[in-house]
Amino acid sequence: MPAHSDATGYLLAHRDSVNEAWFHAVCEAAINSDGGNLSQDELERLWRLFCGLETFAPSAATPPTLKANARDAIQPFHLESLSDFSGFKKLGGTLRLDLSKRITLVFGRNGAGKSSLCQAFKILANPEKPKEPLNNVRSSSKVLPSFNYKLRGGSVQNWTELDGFGGQAQALKYFDSAVAYKHVNSSISPEAVVELSAFRLECFDYAREYLKQFQAYGGSKIAEYRQDADRKIAEIKLGAHAVIDTNTGVFKDWSAINCGPVLSWIGTVSFGEDKRLQKAEKQVRLEQLKGATSAEGQQALALRKSLLGQVKQSLANFVQQCGGFSYSAYNQILLSIQQKQAASIELAGAVFSKDLDVAGQQKLLSAAAALRPFIPAENCPLCRQTLENDAKALFLAFHNHLISTVQTELHALDTKQQAEHSKKRMIEGFAEINYSQYSNVLNADFLRAASDLITSVKASLQASLIDQAALDAYSRYAELNAYIEAVNTEYNNADYALTLASNGLQALNEEISKLTTEIGVLSIDETAYSVRPQIETICQNAISFAGVANVVESYNFTSRLSALTARKKDAHTALVLGSFIPYLDGEYRRLCGASLEQIGVRLANQGADAIVLPKIGDELVHRVLSEGELKVHALALFMCEASVAPHQVLILDDPVTSFDYNYISNFCERLRDYAKDNPQSQLIVLTHNWDFFANLQNTLNGSGLSGAFSVQVLEDCATVSEYVEKWEELCGQIDGYIEPQVEISPDEKSKLSALLRRLVERLTNSYVFNEQRHQYKIRTLQVSNFKDFVKLVPLLPAEADRLKDLYANLSPLEHDDVRNYYSTKSIYQFGTWYDEIKSIKNAVEGRRI
């Protein structure tokens, strides 16, 4: 009893034993598949599951709907005739095989054309081109072999080689010696017998195929990633090659699978503003040193040094002047003067007349005080008149005004103001050089910025209101120190180069070599640092991907495929062989009366594709069984297939060769059962075995199939006629020759003689021996017919003699020319003999008890 109803159960059990998310998805896809390949999205999902980037969420298994049984779905099919053979082997153009009955038995001796007729059937049934020639090799004619065939309900169709082979293979199933040999010497295909769709064994094939697709996808994804990484690495190497020798060091072996050394090294690389300035400075120095190696270069350096000195001196002079002047102190002096003047005015308001000029009054008062101080007194110092109280108070105010420190302080402030203003005027009037003319030794933007800064500082001194903005603008003169330092560096470099040049060429070259090396190191750092983010990204991604790639590449897909094969064989054995063996065992019993076990045949399931081989012990059957037993095996397989295959026309060419009487009888009964079990099928049997012919005829007639059964006798590759032996049918054919009372041809007389001979045989067989005597050898009599012997009617001596004479007259002597023999007999003579035969038949019937 199978553990599962179909192969999906076996696959699911195997899936659960593996317990890997991606494999679960593979099995699920196989169960739900209708045979197509996995899409890119499905393969990518498997990849993510394999890498643990996604969790598995199973979906409901919905296997495709089972297909309808092909035998039930096929359209009705019946082959009605073969005719009009042209250039086809030895078959004559007049040959017409009538296949209108459901069962047709074609009998023909060796050389009668049966094999050629079989080839026509095979052309319609077998898609493979026959190895044997189809044309008549005995003829020099180059006619293209062809013949006509007609299907029931259709028109006559013509076949030539241009139409191809196996045009009706879907409906015709063929058995001949080649098929028998294949069944005996090849593996068995239970799939041709058992409805595999019910077992869904294809799910294992889909799982294997999807596993291979995923393995290939994983390999291609890894290769694609590495190729992309190597391409990016190559681009970085190419971009850095001008500065970094990528054929040495860590760059030499850098690839998608070797990123560790590069990643470690690049982490130590840095290149900031300091190094950038160092590199720029060293490059300038290097250029200067290189220039100093020649007299012309030294002259140019000397000129450069002189020009740089002029710019440096100009800037330094301006900074020096600005450093000697404090704009904020100057502003404070002005504010103090304003405050003191306000206080002075306030004091003056108490002693001076508002209608007169204050300055004039001040001079007058000062001149008067110089003559005599305004100390408190009773008399006026000028007119010496006695002073009243108000006049005393006025003079006291004069005195206080003159002795205050405000005026002294104002004088001191004015002095300071004049000194600072002189400095301010010097700065405002500073005549800087035309910096734009020095662009050949310094950067034009640098010079423009210095000049603009000086202009801005000078402009700040012109502010109408000395506020914080003006003070801040003035204080920017200190920024010129950086300009001076930069110019000084250039000046010193030129001076250094000239000094080295004066010491000799060797010292100069040593310094050039040293600078070149230092610049090279800085350039490497700069270039490497510029691509550091890309290198780190590539290396980190490659190292991360390498872990996944290693898992994929080290995964044992072969073992997983082998396990699927083993589980498929288990399912195949339990389901397919479990269903097929009863079929085959039944056919064995029908054909030889023994089971598979009794014969010793076992079916061995082996190989990746679950190949089934028939064996006895450890040997293949064709090495052990006899010729007849091998034919039983071949026919058993064929009949298994015929019982379930969608073919509606079964064609058998000499199927019982090597059979004894017992096996022939068994096979006749098998064909009878097939015909009865498949009323819509057509059966065509071709043979030259007379015992098989008679036995099959007797078996079919005795089973109520005589109305659907036709016997065709093939002769001389040109004629075929239906064999009849019933009295009424024979008489009907004989009447067709005799009743017209017209002379017939020698060939027709030959056929008429044959029919009359057969009529004599039917008379004795049917009416004398009550169907218990046979003119042809038969294996055995039916025991159920022994009661019919009581109805035997003996011939009278006269009747026996006359029948002997009639049979002799209707049979040509050996060596006689048949045409001459029958040409001497008239139609009337045949009519007389016919009447005599019927008269004896009536007499025998009259004596029946």
Side-chain angles (χ1 to χ4, degrees):
M1 183 70 181
H4 304 282
S5 60
D6 60 35
T8 60
Y10 289 87
L11 181 58
L12 291 173
H14 177 57
R15 176 204 69 181
D16 295 339
S17 68
V18 174
N19 195 27
E20 293 177 359
W22 72 274
F23 188 69
H24 280 229
V26 167
C27 294
E28 181 180 279
I31 291 173
N32 292 329
S33 175
D34 59 358
N37 292 330
L38 291 175
S39 66
Q40 285 295 113
D41 290 342
E42 290 172 320
L43 289 169
E44 181 61 26
R45 176 173 177 253
L46 290 180
W47 173 265
R48 294 180 64 80
L49 288 171
F50 190 95
C51 298
L53 302 176
E54 183 177 325
T55 56
F56 176 67
S59 60
T62 55
T65 305
L66 288 176
K67 297 179 181 178
N69 188 293
R71 189 177 181 85
D72 298 331
I74 194 171
Q75 294 296 320
F77 186 98
H78 188 99
L79 185 62
E80 286 196 338
S81 67
L82 291 179
S83 61
D84 298 313
F85 291 90
S86 175
F88 192 90
K89 291 187 170 289
K90 292 174 59 180
L91 297 181
T94 60
L95 178 64
R96 184 182 187 280
L97 181 62
D98 183 7
L99 302 170
S100 57
K101 297 289 185 69
R102 190 162 67 89
I103 306 171
T104 303
L105 177 60
V106 179
F107 177 80
R109 60 180 176 79
N110 290 335
K114 181 175 60 64
S115 297
S116 298
L117 194 61
C118 289
Q119 187 68 73
F121 283 117
K122 198 169 184 179
I123 282 172
L124 296 177
N126 190 356
E128 297 180 6
K129 182 178 180 179
K131 297 179 181 179
E132 304 84 0
L134 298 179
N135 60 302
N136 187 352
V137 296
R138 297 177 177 84
S139 172
S140 60
S141 174
K142 300 300 182 181
V143 177
L144 185 68
S146 67
F147 62 87
N148 290 346
Y149 65 96
K150 183 179 183 300
L151 307 179
R152 180 169 294 172
S155 59
V156 175
Q157 301 182 53
N158 179 256
W159 178 90
T160 67
E161 287 192 63
L162 301 178
D163 299 314
F165 300 89
Q168 305 299 332
Q170 78 286 352
L172 274 67
K173 188 169 182 63
Y174 193 93
F175 181 87
D176 64 355
S177 58
V179 175
Y181 180 85
K182 178 181 177 182
H183 281 331
V184 168
N185 292 276
S186 302
S187 60
I188 294 176
S189 299
E191 297 82 359
V193 177
V194 178
E195 287 291 339
L196 286 186
S197 57
F199 297 132
R200 304 190 188 281
L201 275 170
E202 70 279 0
C203 71
F204 276 99
D205 296 326
Y206 297 155
R208 283 177 54 84
E209 182 59 29
Y210 294 163
L211 199 65
K212 292 178 181 177
Q213 288 180 29
F214 172 66
Q215 183 183 10
Y217 180 78
S220 65
K221 196 173 183 70
I222 292 171
E224 181 181 348
Y225 179 87
R226 287 173 175 168
Q227 288 174 0
D228 183 63
D230 285 335
R231 177 182 57 79
K232 293 177 180 178
I233 290 171
E235 290 176 354
I236 290 178
K237 285 184 177 182
L238 181 63
H241 183 70
V243 177
I244 303 174
D245 185 0
T246 55
N247 294 320
T248 60
V250 294
F251 281 92
K252 179 182 179 182
D253 298 320
W254 182 29
S255 68
I257 59 176
N258 184 33
C259 290
V262 172
L263 185 61
S264 298
W265 171 77
I266 200 68
T268 65
V269 174
S270 63
F271 191 83
E273 184 63 19
D274 290 343
K275 286 190 175 182
R276 188 188 66 78
L277 293 175
Q278 288 179 25
K279 180 185 175 185
E281 179 185 349
K282 290 179 184 294
Q283 286 176 329
V284 171
R285 288 173 57 195
L286 179 63
E287 292 301 320
Q288 291 174 351
L289 291 176
K290 288 180 178 180
T293 57
S294 65
E296 294 81 1
Q298 292 174 11
Q299 291 177 0
L301 278 174
L303 177 60
R304 175 181 176 83
K305 176 182 175 183
S306 174
L307 294 174
L308 289 171
Q310 295 174 20
V311 174
K312 180 179 71 169
Q313 189 62 49
S314 175
L315 294 175
N317 290 341
F318 183 76
V319 171
Q320 182 180 11
Q321 289 185 16
C322 291
F325 171 72
S326 174
Y327 201 11
S328 59
Y330 176 72
N331 183 44
Q332 189 62 41
I333 291 172
L334 293 179
L335 289 175
S336 297
I337 290 174
Q338 290 176 359
Q339 292 172 355
K340 295 298 180 182
Q341 286 177 345
S344 176
I345 292 172
E346 183 180 353
L347 289 173
V351 294
F352 295 141
S353 172
K354 296 181 179 179
D355 297 330
L356 298 176
D357 179 46
V358 174
Q361 296 181 69
Q362 178 67 36
K363 290 179 179 180
L364 176 62
L365 184 60
S366 298
L371 295 175
R372 187 173 182 175
F374 296 145
I375 58 175
E378 295 294 331
N379 299 321
C380 172
L382 297 176
C383 66
R384 298 183 183 179
Q385 293 182 9
T386 302
L387 299 175
E388 298 296 335
N389 289 336
D390 289 340
K392 287 181 179 182
L394 177 62
F395 275 97
L396 180 61
F398 284 155
H399 175 74
N400 289 335
H401 175 74
L402 290 174
I403 66 173
S404 82
T405 62
V406 172
Q407 294 302 320
T408 304
E409 292 173 354
L410 275 174
H411 179 72
L413 287 173
D414 285 338
T415 303
K416 289 182 178 180
Q417 190 267 342
Q418 291 298 326
E420 292 300 320
H421 185 69
S422 176
K423 295 178 181 178
K424 176 174 174 290
R425 292 286 299 272
M426 288 181 65
I427 296 172
E428 290 175 338
F430 180 78
E432 68 269 23
I433 62 176
N434 187 358
Y435 294 108
S436 62
Q437 295 181 352
Y438 294 85
S439 59
N440 59 331
V441 293
L442 289 170
N443 182 273
D445 293 334
F446 175 88
L447 293 168
R448 188 180 303 110
S451 178
D452 292 344
L453 182 56
I454 292 174
T455 302
S456 175
V457 171
K458 292 167 68 175
S460 67
L461 298 175
Q462 303 296 325
S464 59
L465 176 62
I466 304 176
D467 53 10
Q468 189 61 43
L471 294 174
D472 291 341
Y474 176 77
S475 65
R476 289 189 62 203
Y477 78 87
E479 296 177 15
L480 289 171
N481 288 321
Y483 288 81
I484 295 171
E485 183 179 353
V487 176
N488 191 51
T489 299
E490 295 295 320
Y491 177 87
N492 291 336
N493 289 337
D495 182 65
Y496 179 73
L498 290 171
T499 301
L500 278 179
S502 65
N503 292 334
L505 189 60
Q506 181 178 357
L508 190 61
N509 287 334
E510 289 177 354
E511 186 66 17
I512 288 174
S513 177
K514 177 183 175 183
L515 278 175
T516 301
T517 302
E518 292 174 353
I519 292 172
V521 172
L522 290 171
S523 296
I524 290 174
D525 287 349
E526 180 183 23
T527 302
Y529 191 73
S530 68
V531 293
R532 176 176 172 175
Q534 297 96 304
I535 291 178
E536 288 179 335
T537 300
I538 292 172
C539 291
Q540 290 167 358
N541 291 342
I543 291 172
S544 175
F545 187 82
V548 176
N550 183 59
V551 174
V552 174
E553 292 176 330
S554 62
Y555 191 86
N556 194 344
F557 286 98
T558 302
S559 175
R560 185 66 55 236
L561 288 168
S562 298
L564 279 173
T565 299
R567 298 293 79 77
K568 178 186 176 182
K569 289 172 66 175
D570 293 342
H572 189 276
T573 299
L575 298 171
V576 178
L577 286 186
S579 299
F580 170 70
I581 288 176
Y583 276 98
L584 186 60
D585 188 72
E587 293 297 338
Y588 259 80
R589 291 177 183 274
R590 285 180 171 185
L591 295 178
C592 68
S595 66
L596 284 170
E597 183 179 1
Q598 290 167 337
I599 296 297
V601 176
R602 67 180 180 87
L603 303 185
N605 196 341
Q606 64 186 46
D609 297 323
I611 296 174
V612 179
L613 294 175
K615 291 186 175 182
I616 296 179
D618 293 330
E619 293 292 335
L620 298 174
V621 293
H622 70 270
R623 298 177 180 175
V624 179
L625 296 180
S626 67
E627 186 175 350
E629 288 172 326
L630 289 176
K631 180 56 77 67
V632 167
H633 177 75
L635 281 172
L637 289 173
F638 180 79
M639 293 309 298
C640 279
E641 296 176 5
S643 297
V644 298
H647 306 88
Q648 291 187 317
V649 180
L650 207 62
I651 303 167
L652 299 104
D653 178 19
D654 272 332
V656 297
T657 54
S658 305
F659 271 10
D660 59 20
Y661 289 144
N662 182 57
Y663 282 4
I664 288 176
S665 179
N666 289 344
F667 186 63
C668 290
E669 293 169 3
R670 180 66 188 97
L671 291 180
R672 174 201 63 195
D673 295 342
Y674 176 85
K676 294 178 71 175
D677 294 341
N678 299 277
Q680 299 301 319
S681 296
Q682 183 180 5
L683 189 61
I684 301 172
V685 182
L686 302 98
T687 186
H688 68 272
N689 187 313
W690 184 261
D691 184 65
F692 172 55
F693 162 68
N695 201 332
L696 180 60
Q697 183 181 22
N698 184 61
T699 301
L700 294 175
N701 286 339
S703 301
L705 294 173
S706 58
F709 177 52
S710 171
V711 176
Q712 304 284 331
V713 179
L714 180 64
E715 297 180 0
D716 303 325
C717 297
T719 59
V720 62
S721 59
E722 185 174 5
Y723 177 84
V724 295
E725 61 179 1
K726 293 183 179 180
W727 183 272
E728 292 77 10
E729 293 176 351
L730 287 171
C731 289
Q733 292 189 13
I734 293 171
D735 289 340
Y737 288 102
I738 293 179
E739 286 183 357
Q741 292 294 296
V742 177
E743 201 63 53
I744 58 178
S745 68
D747 285 340
E748 291 174 320
K749 289 178 182 180
S750 176
K751 294 178 182 179
L752 179 57
S753 296
L755 290 173
L756 288 171
R757 291 197 304 273
R758 197 177 306 169
L759 192 64
V760 171
E761 293 164 353
R762 292 311 302 156
L763 187 158
T764 56
N765 293 341
S766 298
Y767 302 104
V768 176
F769 289 97
N770 197 25
E771 299 292 354
Q772 300 308 302
R773 176 189 177 278
H774 299 272
Q775 68 273 30
Y776 304 114
K777 182 170 57 178
I778 189 167
R779 177 176 59 84
T780 185
L781 295 175
Q782 299 281 345
V783 295
S784 61
N785 291 338
F786 274 99
K787 59 184 178 60
D788 293 331
F789 278 97
V790 300
K791 297 181 181 181
L792 298 181
V793 180
L795 290 170
L796 298 177
E799 293 172 337
D801 289 340
R802 188 55 188 155
L803 285 176
K804 176 179 177 296
D805 293 338
L806 287 171
Y807 204 87
N809 290 333
L810 292 167
S811 301
L813 298 176
E814 190 175 4
H815 305 306
D816 280 355
D817 187 326
V818 176
R819 291 170 297 179
N820 292 335
Y821 182 84
Y822 287 113
S823 66
T824 62
K825 307 295 188 295
S826 69
I827 191 62
Y828 305 108
Q829 178 66 74
F830 283 109
T832 300
W833 290 337
Y834 179 39
D835 291 338
E836 288 184 75
I837 295 171
K838 289 192 291 182
S839 176
I840 295 174
K841 176 256 185 185
N842 292 333
V844 171
E845 276 194 305
R847 295 197 296 275
R848 185 180 297 276
I849 299 176

